[in-house]
Amino acid sequence: MGKIIFLDVDGTLVDYENRLPESAVKAVRRARENGHRVYICTGRSKAEVYSELWDIGLDGMIGGNGSYVEDRGHVVMHQLITLDQCRRIVDWLHERKLEFYLESNNGLFASEEFAVKAEPAVKEYRRRKGKEDADKATVATVFPEMIYGGELYRDDLNKVSYLLGSYQDFLDTKEQFPDLENGTWGGAGEIALFGDLGVKGITKGNAISHLLEYLGAKREDTIAFGDAKVDIPMLEYCQVGVAMGNGGPEIKAMADFVTEAVEEDGLYHAFVRLGLIQG
């Protein structure tokens, strides 16, 4: 077995407009031809990993920021939010009048008014990523497979994302759910746009350790690529951690090196630099 490579998806494998560079496809395929394994390691649930990504040729995935691990079609680990926890979350968010969506391998299930109330946050998220067409963004374009009117009390959840009215909503939710992993995204600290809830103790790094144990592989043979704060545990855990040029300052500061941005063929250049493929 060669190296074991872990790629975040949004902002790493694809750009923030969900465009997949041909150079990234070439890099992954050549690396696998050279005997290396390649996994995506993402906050997305399996329902959000569309055929375009699988068609690259992947050995598997880590999803839900570490709650789900799959190797060549075999489920290695899947830790879920319980039905009781889901009921409590849904009831709490309804009571707070916070719109949300439930992230499952079976789909993304939105609250009643998410499509309308989340639109300003979606536009602002894209604006912060420097996208010129941010004002044209809608929930439908960013989440094309979102399901409305589905069952919200579920036993198949990896995590839950909810729209923040203020940072206090996150602080109150964190206090309300000490039995779950609490985080934010869409901005650092008090400018965050969304909160999220997941299985306690789950991180991308923890999930990688489970996969390595299953494979009988060594940590010394791992390489991770990411662009955001949530990717830091993955880069810390792996032998080599690479930050994308479009990444945030925190991950760039702790990475072993910084490659070019997604749009500048960052993955391809880093694969060459690491000797995974020839340029």
Side-chain angles (χ1 to χ4, degrees):
M1 188 185 299
K3 299 296 183 182
I4 306 171
I5 304 160
F6 298 96
L7 307 175
D8 172 53
V9 174
D10 299 286
T12 300
L13 181 57
V14 304
D15 68 15
Y16 297 121
E17 294 180 346
N18 206 36
R19 291 186 298 226
L20 174 63
E22 185 57 38
S23 63
V25 176
K26 186 185 298 183
V28 170
R29 288 177 177 168
R30 286 187 182 175
R32 294 186 75 235
E33 288 171 3
N34 290 340
H36 307 298
R37 287 179 177 245
V38 181
Y39 298 83
I40 53 173
C41 191
T42 175
R44 298 189 188 194
S45 293
K46 190 171 182 178
E48 297 173 89
V49 181
Y50 307 122
S51 59
E52 180 188 28
L53 296 181
W54 287 115
D55 289 346
I56 299 170
L58 298 168
D59 289 283
M61 69 170 289
I62 291 171
N65 282 334
S67 68
Y68 178 76
V69 181
E70 178 182 310
D71 172 66
R72 297 181 177 178
H74 173 75
V75 178
V76 176
M77 181 186 80
H78 197 183
Q79 298 191 47
L80 295 165
I81 292 172
T82 68
L83 177 59
D84 178 64
Q85 288 172 326
C86 177
R87 288 180 185 275
R88 289 169 46 221
I89 293 167
V90 169
D91 291 347
W92 165 260
L93 295 175
H94 274 144
E95 181 183 329
R96 295 281 297 212
K97 300 189 184 309
L98 299 175
E99 300 301 316
F100 59 90
Y101 64 95
L102 311 176
E103 303 181 44
S104 157
N105 284 2
N106 296 311
L108 303 183
F109 300 87
S111 60
E112 295 77 3
E113 297 184 56
F114 184 80
V116 174
K117 293 192 174 178
E119 188 165 307
V122 166
K123 293 181 189 298
E124 178 61 21
Y125 181 67
R126 292 181 64 79
R127 194 173 295 116
R128 291 177 184 179
K129 295 296 185 183
K131 300 306 176 185
E132 294 179 1
D133 64 346
D135 289 337
K136 298 179 181 178
T138 66
V139 172
T141 59
V142 175
F143 299 102
E145 304 293 327
M146 190 75 80
I147 298 167
Y148 296 90
E151 176 58 60
L152 298 181
Y153 291 150
R154 309 188 62 86
D155 62 1
D156 60 352
L157 296 189
N158 299 320
K159 65 189 181 90
V160 178
S161 286
Y162 60 96
L163 186 65
L164 292 173
S166 69
Y167 192 66
Q168 191 62 46
D169 289 326
F170 164 69
L171 296 177
D172 291 346
T173 302
K174 184 177 181 180
E175 183 178 356
Q176 183 73 16
F177 297 98
D179 55 325
L180 291 165
E181 200 70 36
N182 287 263
T184 59
W185 59 276
E190 296 192 3
I191 66 166
L193 299 170
F194 293 88
D196 61 27
L197 292 153
V199 178
K200 192 75 171 177
I202 286 296
T203 67
K204 292 184 176 184
N206 175 66
I208 290 171
S209 71
H210 282 276
L211 178 60
L212 295 184
E213 183 179 359
Y214 170 76
L215 295 175
K218 297 178 181 178
R219 187 172 174 179
E220 291 76 18
D221 291 326
T222 56
I223 304 170
F225 293 78
D227 72 303
K229 199 170 180 180
V230 72
D231 299 318
I232 289 176
M234 171 172 69
L235 268 65
E236 286 177 336
Y237 182 86
C238 290
Q239 183 68 21
V240 178
V242 183
M244 304 303 292
N246 49 275
E250 300 98 340
I251 195 166
K252 286 181 177 179
M254 58 75 60
D256 292 302
F257 72 88
V258 179
T259 189
E260 289 84 352
V262 181
E263 300 92 337
E264 298 169 343
D265 303 321
L267 277 185
Y268 184 88
H269 291 308
F271 274 40
V272 172
R273 179 173 174 179
L274 290 165
L276 302 168
I277 61 174
Q278 291 185 328

